[in-house]
Amino acid sequence: MKRSVIFCLFISFGYLSALSQLLVTDARYPDSLLQLSKNTKSDSLKARSLFLLSDYWSDIDTLKSKKFLTEGLKYGDKFPYVKALYYYYLGGYYYSINPLKSREIYLEADKQLSKFDIKEAYLFRARSWGNYANLQQQKDEDLLMLDILLSKTIPLVKKAGNKEYLAKYYTDAGLVFENRWQYDKAEEYFQMAISIYDEVKVSNMNNVFDTYLYSTQNYVHTEKLALAKIALDKTKDLLVKCPSAENYINYYTIESLYYRHIKAYDKSIKSIRAGISVAKRSKNVYLKEGLSFQEYKILVIQKKYKQALDVIRNIVENHTLNWSQNSLMQYYELSETYSKLGNSEMAYAWLKKYTKLRDSINTKDIEHKISTLEVKFKTAEKEKKIIALNAENEKANLSAKNSKLFSWLFGIACLFLLAVATLGWLFYRSSKKLAVQKDLNHQQQIEDIDRRQQIKIVQAMLNAKEEEQNRVARDLHDGLGGTLAGIKINLVHYATGKSNNNDPQLQQIMNQMEGSINELRRIAHDMMPKMLLNFGLEESLRDLCESLASKKLNIDFKYLGIKHTLLPQEQMNIYRIVQEALVNAVKHAEAKKILLQCSQTDNIFYITIEDDGKGFDPAHLAKGMGIHNMKNRVSYLNGQIEILSAENKVGTSINIELVVTT
């Protein structure tokens, strides 16, 4: 029986895949699915066709989408695998209307589908993680998106053996690298995607179009204009196969970028006008913004700074997406344009905004680039000085050749004195730099010693506190707990020996004694979590969440990509940090929902705690002993903590980064 059911499942998947891939751009596609759902006798096929109808309408009509999804679940509820697929389509339903809930459901879809060791299940898991990554990118978390693509989505789609989706996710990863200015890595992933598209029969040409489009843009950024032209022509050919308004706008945007880089400004403006015309008809404000930025760049090149200023200000004032990379670029361009117009006050104001935003994203990368530019600048200045000095020497030599012997001697003497002065100045400057460097090194050593001493003190305090808690817990459990247990046993014997052992007062005393023993054990458990020693960090945190959860409070715990190499002391500190944060949320925030997420990248351990309870003033709370202990533990692990909350507002978010053993 099971074999026949699975066989039908694969047949239905093949038929539905053909429909979803070959007819998705056809107006008859939803009608074909609806007809299939009515005519088929297979409940699993009926459910899956209704799921696809829900997916089709999710971006068009959410009421229809919800209706088909609910109806599909009625037919597929008795099939475990089809029911697992339901969570994937439910995540798609919430994708646009509730991104937070959509992310949670995609994680649940991966959990449910992981129970099935078949290629289709791997593919839907990959698609769940791919959509989850895109939702993270919408939160301006493009690095997290890249991490999910490389560690989750791509490995799963490889296990599924679906090369077309593999090429799509290679393109997504390449686009993240391109947005982070890592053009060589972006080119590598775009080429891998194109190689796959060249060898497989493609069902969705939009994905191929996107890959060539982004590849063209990447070639332009790296000044590989010949390759950019080839990719641009290929993109134009693909427009015939996928002629949507969005594709035309994107094509005109990249075409104008290419023409601008080859200095064909009239053609570039023509492409921009064509793209804006399509964007206005389709009411696509965001893509129109990209075309306007291309127009701004051309106006700057043509030194039409006043017109350029109007364009870039309009973009900044009416921007549609708050992506930090876009804002960073726009602030910089505003500063540069004001500077060219001679308005130093406004140029400085926008440069401050640019600097503030820059410091909050990719700080290390940007500082590295600035340092590189600074080195190049200093090197150029030195080369100018050397060239100027050589020119003066040559001029002096030419003058000396035409002078008398006295002039020769005088010139030689001057050159000698100049050389001595230069050497003396260089020696003085070198000595001064060396002295300053020694002072800096000495100061750094002192600071390092102080920091290590502070860490040792904090470590000793934390260890002493932990040992004292363990001692008190053992004393409570073994001493007072044993005594209370003995009293309870004596009461039971006493009650048994009485002729009337149903005395309500005696029963009340025994119940109070039982409650006291349980409360004592709970306190001892909180002070010395044995589960952490026996079962590890994940199970201990899960147990902590379950112990704090109630009918009025839901705690959602996510544990992603954690390595099993954490030292016991690190696990204990992480547990205490999370315990303190959760207890504060439960005790003070009166939250109904708490999200706890733990993840790890290399040797950085991330903790995120979000709740929907009452907000507070972080500066006021920082005076408390609990938050002070939590910050001490974070400092002990060389970490950072960020508390986002405000008094009289809903919700608190705590973000923690810790350095752990790899």
Side-chain angles (χ1 to χ4, degrees):
M1 184 65 182
K2 183 181 290 186
R3 171 181 275 176
S4 64
V5 169
I6 294 174
F7 182 68
C8 281
L9 202 63
F10 278 105
I11 291 176
S12 65
F13 171 62
Y15 185 70
L16 287 171
S17 295
L19 275 175
S20 62
Q21 294 176 353
L22 297 177
L23 300 177
V24 71
T25 58
D26 195 324
R28 295 170 296 174
Y29 172 69
D31 294 332
S32 301
L33 287 173
L34 188 60
Q35 197 66 27
L36 175 63
S37 68
K38 292 179 179 179
N39 295 336
T40 182
K41 295 181 179 179
S42 168
D43 285 347
S44 64
L45 182 56
K46 189 186 296 286
R48 295 187 60 163
S49 61
L50 290 168
F51 288 164
L52 285 173
L53 275 168
S54 172
D55 190 54
Y56 174 82
W57 288 106
S58 61
D59 294 329
I60 305 170
D61 189 332
T62 55
L63 291 177
K64 280 189 177 181
S65 177
K66 185 65 174 179
K67 171 191 170 185
F68 287 124
L69 191 63
T70 304
E71 189 176 351
L73 181 61
K74 287 194 301 184
Y75 291 105
D77 193 48
K78 57 188 174 182
F79 302 102
Y81 179 70
V82 177
K83 188 175 181 181
L85 287 178
Y86 163 78
Y87 289 99
Y88 168 78
Y89 291 103
L90 183 63
Y93 166 74
Y94 283 109
Y95 189 92
S96 300
I97 61 177
N98 192 337
L100 175 61
K101 192 167 185 177
S102 180
R103 291 197 300 272
E104 295 174 354
I105 294 171
Y106 278 130
L107 293 176
E108 182 64 24
D110 176 72
K111 179 181 177 182
Q112 296 297 329
L113 288 165
S114 64
K115 300 173 183 177
F116 304 93
D117 187 17
I118 57 176
K119 287 188 175 182
E120 187 194 3
Y122 290 127
L123 177 60
F124 274 95
R125 289 179 64 193
R127 292 171 66 180
S128 297
W129 279 111
N131 293 343
Y132 182 87
N134 284 322
L135 287 168
Q136 293 295 344
Q137 198 254 357
Q138 290 177 17
K139 291 171 55 185
D140 206 12
E141 295 284 354
D142 51 347
L143 290 180
L144 180 55
M145 174 187 180
L146 181 62
D147 180 58
I148 293 170
L149 287 172
L150 298 180
S151 63
K152 296 286 188 182
T153 309
I154 291 176
L156 283 169
V157 83
K158 284 182 177 179
K159 293 182 74 173
N162 190 305
K163 289 189 175 182
E164 186 173 352
Y165 269 100
L166 179 61
K168 177 192 181 303
Y169 293 127
Y170 277 154
T171 300
D172 289 349
L175 186 58
V176 176
F177 281 118
E178 184 178 355
N179 289 337
R180 304 292 296 183
W181 308 300
Q182 298 184 36
Y183 301 123
D184 291 340
K185 291 293 292 183
E187 181 179 347
E188 177 185 342
Y189 276 87
F190 290 148
Q191 285 305 311
M192 287 193 295
I194 290 172
S195 298
I196 292 174
Y197 286 136
D198 288 342
E199 68 180 40
V200 301
K201 183 178 180 181
V202 180
S203 59
N204 190 344
M205 296 306 297
N206 282 296
N207 292 334
V208 186
F209 174 85
D210 290 341
T211 302
Y212 276 100
L213 186 79
Y214 300 144
S215 182
T216 303
Q217 179 177 257
N218 196 68
Y219 281 136
V220 172
H221 287 316
T222 55
E223 296 298 331
K224 297 178 180 180
L225 299 179
L227 294 174
K229 184 63 170 65
I230 295 172
L232 184 64
D233 291 342
K234 181 67 176 178
T235 308
K236 187 175 183 180
D237 294 339
L238 288 168
L239 268 176
V240 179
K241 299 180 180 179
C242 40
S244 68
E246 182 176 337
N247 285 346
Y248 269 100
I249 299 170
N250 285 328
Y251 171 77
Y252 285 129
T253 302
I254 302 305
E255 185 181 55
S256 67
L257 176 68
Y258 168 75
Y259 282 136
R260 174 163 63 84
H261 274 258
I262 65 172
K263 300 182 180 179
Y265 302 128
D266 291 340
K267 290 184 177 180
S268 183
I269 290 293
K270 184 178 179 182
S271 299
I272 291 171
R273 293 286 177 260
I276 289 177
S277 176
V278 179
K280 286 181 177 178
R281 288 199 303 270
S282 61
K283 298 181 181 180
N284 196 319
V285 180
Y286 174 68
L287 293 181
K288 180 177 176 292
E289 180 181 305
L291 287 160
S292 298
F293 186 78
Q294 295 299 326
E295 180 182 10
Y296 159 78
K297 296 295 287 187
I298 294 175
L299 290 172
V300 169
I301 293 172
Q302 296 175 337
K303 297 184 179 180
K304 299 177 181 178
Y305 299 126
K306 289 185 178 180
Q307 297 177 39
L309 179 62
D310 292 338
V311 174
I312 191 66
R313 284 182 59 185
N314 185 61
I315 292 173
V316 172
E317 291 170 0
N318 300 287
H319 64 281
T320 54
L321 288 177
N322 294 320
W323 285 354
S324 57
Q325 298 294 338
N326 288 357
S327 298
L328 188 70
M329 178 173 57
Q330 292 162 5
Y331 292 170
Y332 178 80
E333 295 295 342
L334 262 173
S335 175
E336 288 290 299
T337 307
Y338 273 117
S339 177
K340 289 181 173 65
L341 288 170
N343 191 337
S344 58
E345 181 180 357
M346 291 300 295
Y348 176 71
W350 283 104
L351 184 61
K352 282 182 65 178
K353 290 186 177 182
Y354 164 79
T355 304
K356 184 177 180 180
L357 180 60
R358 181 204 63 188
D359 291 341
S360 67
I361 55 173
N362 305 323
T363 304
K364 293 183 180 179
D365 291 340
I366 296 175
E367 286 180 352
H368 175 71
K369 291 181 180 179
I370 292 176
S371 299
T372 303
L373 291 173
E374 185 180 15
V375 170
K376 289 181 179 179
F377 172 76
K378 290 183 177 179
T379 303
E381 290 296 312
K382 289 180 181 179
E383 289 176 353
K384 287 180 181 179
K385 289 181 180 179
I386 294 172
I387 291 171
L389 184 59
N390 289 337
E392 290 179 5
N393 290 340
E394 290 176 2
K395 184 177 179 180
N397 289 335
L398 289 173
S399 299
K401 290 180 180 179
N402 299 322
S403 66
K404 296 181 181 181
L405 180 61
F406 177 78
S407 298
W408 277 94
L409 294 173
F410 182 76
I412 292 172
C414 288
L415 289 173
F416 176 75
L417 291 174
L418 180 62
V420 170
T422 302
L423 290 172
W425 177 73
L426 290 174
F427 178 77
Y428 168 76
R429 189 178 68 170
S430 177
S431 300
K432 187 176 180 180
K433 283 186 176 181
L434 183 61
V436 171
Q437 188 61 43
K438 286 183 178 179
D439 290 341
L440 290 175
N441 291 341
H442 181 66
Q443 186 66 29
Q444 186 64 40
Q445 290 175 355
I446 293 174
E447 291 177 358
D448 289 342
I449 292 172
D450 289 342
R451 186 166 59 254
R452 286 196 296 269
Q453 189 65 29
Q454 290 176 1
I455 290 175
K456 287 182 179 179
I457 292 172
V458 171
Q459 180 180 6
M461 291 172 61
L462 293 176
N463 290 340
K465 180 181 178 183
E466 204 66 49
E467 291 175 0
E468 180 63 16
Q469 285 184 340
N470 291 341
R471 185 191 66 78
V472 172
R474 287 193 299 269
D475 290 347
L476 286 173
H477 186 275
D478 298 338
L480 184 56
T483 302
L484 289 174
I487 294 172
K488 178 187 173 185
I489 292 171
N490 290 333
L491 283 173
V492 170
H493 289 324
Y494 174 73
T496 304
K498 286 179 65 68
S499 58
N500 182 13
N501 55 8
N502 292 322
D503 186 348
Q505 292 184 348
L506 181 60
Q507 290 297 325
Q508 182 181 4
I509 293 172
M510 291 175 65
N511 291 336
Q512 289 174 346
M513 183 64 66
E514 180 68 23
S516 300
I517 293 172
N518 291 335
E519 179 66 14
L520 179 64
R521 287 174 178 169
R522 185 191 64 79
I523 294 171
H525 178 269
D526 288 344
M527 299 180 70
M528 185 178 64
K530 290 185 178 180
M531 180 168 283
L532 185 63
L533 302 175
N534 297 332
F535 299 103
L537 181 60
E538 179 180 4
E539 291 303 322
S540 299
L541 293 177
R542 194 178 305 280
D543 179 67
L544 176 62
C545 293
E546 291 175 356
S547 68
L548 294 174
S550 64
K551 293 182 179 179
K552 296 182 179 180
L553 173 63
N554 177 40
I555 301 179
D556 188 5
F557 174 49
K558 307 296 181 186
Y559 199 77
L560 306 174
I562 308 300
K563 300 178 181 177
H564 299 289
T565 57
L566 298 177
L567 298 176
Q569 191 63 32
E570 293 172 342
Q571 295 185 37
M572 178 61 72
N573 279 291
I574 292 171
Y575 179 85
R576 291 302 187 194
I577 291 169
V578 173
Q579 183 184 40
E580 182 65 37
L582 290 180
V583 169
N584 284 340
V586 173
K587 183 177 180 182
H588 301 292
E590 299 179 2
K592 297 181 179 178
K593 187 174 183 180
I594 299 176
L595 171 64
L596 167 61
Q597 179 171 302
C598 297
S599 60
Q600 183 177 353
T601 302
D602 295 331
N603 66 327
I604 304 300
F605 192 98
Y606 300 95
I607 302 173
T608 299
I609 300 116
E610 298 178 355
D611 68 67
D612 60 353
K614 294 188 298 185
F616 61 88
D617 184 358
H620 176 73
L621 186 63
K623 299 177 182 178
M625 182 60 70
I627 197 70
H628 179 71
N629 289 337
M630 188 163 64
K631 288 184 175 181
N632 278 340
R633 293 183 185 276
V634 172
S635 299
Y636 170 60
L637 292 177
N638 295 322
Q640 297 178 349
I641 182 170
E642 178 188 42
I643 302 176
L644 303 176
S645 188
E647 195 169 359
N648 299 325
K649 290 188 177 181
V650 177
T652 298
S653 179
I654 301 177
N655 301 306
I656 301 172
E657 296 181 10
L658 307 172
V659 179
V660 297
T661 304
T662 56

